[in-house]
Amino acid sequence: MKNNKFETEAIRTQLERTQFLEHSVPMYLTSSFVFEDAEDMRASFAEEKNRNIYSRYSNPNSSEFIEKVCKMEGAESGFAFASGMAAVFSTFAALLNSGDHIISAKSIFGSTHSLFTQFFPKWNISTSYFDINDLDSVDNLVQSNTKVIYAESPTNPGVDILDLEALAAIARKHNLILIIDNCFASPYLQQPIKFGADLVIHSGTKLMDGQGRVLAGITVGSSELIDKIYRFSRITGPALSPFNAWVLSKSLETLALRVDRHCSNALQLATFLEDHSKVNWVKYPFLKSHPKYNLAKKQMKAGGCVVAFEVKGGLEAGKKFFDGIQLLSLSANLGDSRSIVTHPASTTHSKLSPEERQSVGITDGMVRVSVGLEHIDDIISDIEQALG
Ligand SMILES: *Cc1c(COP(=O)(O)O)cnc(C)c1O
């Protein structure tokens, strides 16, 4: 079959029509599915047939969403979850045993960090951390019980860029599974499997839905690994609801269009902030001043929706800036059509100790903007007046 372009697959990957010949795929709001006869039921449960049995295992709407994301990421197979964190937790829980060891980047999503530090130790699963700017240190962290290397790129909230190909080479050398949380890039901007990742995780809540409506998560990768994740998940029940799967599958039809605009708005805001007298520094992967600009260009189609910067004057100035914001939302989400400003030190990363925050580059005055789809002139003018 012809391999269509990304935008085409995002729209044309869909379930077969029913007898009603609908153009847009309907919702299958059903918990369970029926069988023709005893033999059909036996064969279905024996997995001799590939068909829906119960929506905790699979549902047509989830399957369509999974197939789309697999095409976008160049993956063989996937499983869809009720949230990004359900995807993160279930992926690890399916692949690891008690006594196993994870090597993780230091700068990761706050709840993932809490999972590693507060909960996995209960099951005797330990984690060591590396700095994504010092991949030479990773070799020394490998133990006989290490199973997985885990990282994000761009990172949250500092928008640092990790060399995916170099990390994949380290994972291969030690026979470890490389898992990349690709949520900040979306599959439109970056496909980690191309660079050697084994599994890719997304919070569908962010750019994939992009309109702040649903929680969702997905893990995609090799059929062999996904089968283990599927076996675990069909028993433990973190499955995505058919309604949310339907919403997401529709959202993906416009992913490329939306993300293009997010990125052009973000680059314009970052360029504006670079010249502002009340700003200490600005970080955006596609600004020439970004320390990993060339790597970002190699790995990503554009710079993403998140811009990080530091307001001059520390915590006090940061608070004043937040209270001055009028149009943009003060919220913790990202990848939404509405622009969002966040103060990581007091919100998403408040569970980290000040030393841990320091080590991942989160300063008191640091602001993270998830640049939305409003007109760029209005986004800039709100930030400009708040800085004033
Ligand atoms: C939001 C987010 C998650 C968690 O996703 P939820 O859908 O909120 O559970 C995981 N990783 C990253 C990078 C995120 O931004």
Side-chain angles (χ1 to χ4, degrees):
M1 205 178 76
K2 183 175 176 296
N3 243 348
N4 293 311
K5 301 273 195 241
F6 186 96
E7 291 81 348
T8 311
E9 293 293 1
I11 292 167
R12 291 290 172 179
T13 302
Q14 59 178 58
L15 296 171
E16 278 174 31
R17 296 193 173 106
T18 69
Q19 76 267 32
F20 300 113
L21 298 180
E22 67 280 351
H23 194 193
S24 168
V25 171
M27 270 185 243
Y28 291 89
L29 295 184
T30 180
S31 57
S32 43
F33 301 83
V34 294
F35 302 91
E36 301 293 339
D37 50 33
E39 170 52 22
D40 181 29
M41 199 159 177
R42 183 207 61 78
S44 301
F45 274 82
E47 296 184 45
E48 289 163 17
K49 290 182 173 185
N50 184 15
R51 54 104 80 211
N52 295 296
I53 295 174
Y54 192 56
S55 288
R56 169 151 44 80
Y57 306 176
S58 71
N59 172 282
N61 292 122
S62 301
S63 301
E64 181 185 275
F65 169 57
I66 292 166
E67 197 188 331
K68 251 185 217 194
V69 178
C70 284
K71 284 197 176 157
M72 291 174 162
E73 289 286 2
E76 288 172 3
S77 187
F79 192 81
F81 298 90
S83 70
M85 284 317 299
V88 172
F89 174 72
S90 305
T91 299
F92 280 105
L95 300 177
L96 299 187
N97 295 317
S98 172
D100 283 345
H101 174 246
I102 301 165
I103 296 177
S104 169
K106 268 187 208 166
S107 31
I108 51 170
F109 186 65
S111 295
T112 306
H113 185 266
S114 299
L115 182 66
F116 293 167
T117 52
Q118 293 171 29
F119 296 97
F120 279 174
K122 289 207 304 183
W123 299 296
N124 195 24
I125 292 170
S126 55
T127 309
S128 305
Y129 299 93
F130 65 96
D131 180 336
I132 65 160
N133 295 312
D134 181 16
L135 292 187
D136 290 342
S137 68
V138 177
D139 273 331
N140 296 329
L141 299 176
V142 178
Q143 307 173 1
S144 58
N145 57 344
T146 307
K147 277 270 178 69
V148 168
I149 301 184
Y150 186 81
E152 301 173 8
S153 186
T155 61
N156 177 28
V159 291
D160 271 327
I161 302 292
L162 160 77
D163 188 335
L164 294 170
E165 216 164 15
L167 190 61
I170 296 168
R172 247 193 325 276
K173 180 168 119 195
H174 296 283
N175 207 11
L176 305 174
I177 301 167
L178 176 61
I179 306 178
I180 299 294
D181 180 334
N182 198 30
C183 164
F184 262 56
S186 90
Y188 177 60
L189 298 180
Q190 169 176 284
Q191 295 100 35
I193 289 172
K194 272 194 202 153
F195 299 106
D198 298 297
L199 290 170
V200 172
I201 296 182
H202 280 281
S203 163
T205 318
K206 312 295 169 53
L207 283 167
M208 279 191 174
D209 175 43
Q211 289 144 93
R213 300 172 296 188
V214 296
L215 282 173
I218 186 165
T219 303
V220 299
S222 71
S223 300
E224 188 195 338
L225 291 173
I226 293 294
D227 190 62
K228 290 185 183 168
I229 295 163
Y230 166 71
R231 304 267 147 225
F232 176 82
S233 302
R234 70 178 242 167
I235 298 305
T236 52
L240 182 63
S241 88
F243 177 84
N244 286 359
W246 180 86
V247 169
L248 275 159
S249 201
K250 295 281 167 226
S251 304
L252 289 180
E253 294 185 4
T254 58
L255 182 74
L257 267 180
R258 288 185 285 106
V259 173
D260 274 340
R261 180 61 67 83
H262 277 290
C263 294
S264 66
N265 278 355
L267 183 59
Q268 286 180 75
L269 175 65
T271 306
F272 164 79
L273 289 168
E274 231 179 4
D275 297 328
H276 201 286
S277 61
K278 297 213 170 140
V279 171
N280 271 336
W281 51 258
V282 185
K283 257 175 115 184
Y284 183 68
F286 268 45
L287 273 186
K288 287 211 176 68
S289 59
H290 192 287
K292 298 285 179 64
Y293 173 72
N294 289 325
L295 182 61
K297 283 256 168 179
K298 175 189 157 197
Q299 292 181 175
M300 299 172 71
K301 198 182 173 87
C305 66
V306 175
V307 176
F309 66 99
E310 189 181 61
V311 182
K312 276 188 187 157
L315 201 57
E316 273 315 302
K319 277 189 188 154
K320 260 196 178 158
F321 169 77
F322 275 89
D323 287 337
I325 288 288
Q326 289 171 358
L327 175 72
L328 309 194
S329 312
L330 306 183
S331 177
N333 196 18
L334 68 100
D336 194 290
S337 51
R338 282 154 285 256
S339 296
I340 292 167
V341 285
T342 312
H343 185 222
S346 69
T347 57
T348 49
H349 290 69
S350 60
K351 300 284 193 302
L352 274 66
S353 69
E355 295 74 37
E356 285 173 320
R357 274 201 295 277
Q358 195 68 42
S359 79
V360 292
I362 300 172
T363 59
D364 283 348
M366 177 179 180
V367 176
R368 184 189 84 183
V369 185
S370 167
V371 184
L373 304 178
E374 303 95 338
H375 196 286
I376 184 59
D377 293 350
D378 296 321
I379 297 171
I380 288 179
S381 103
D382 194 34
I383 289 188
E384 187 171 26
Q385 64 80 25
L387 282 170

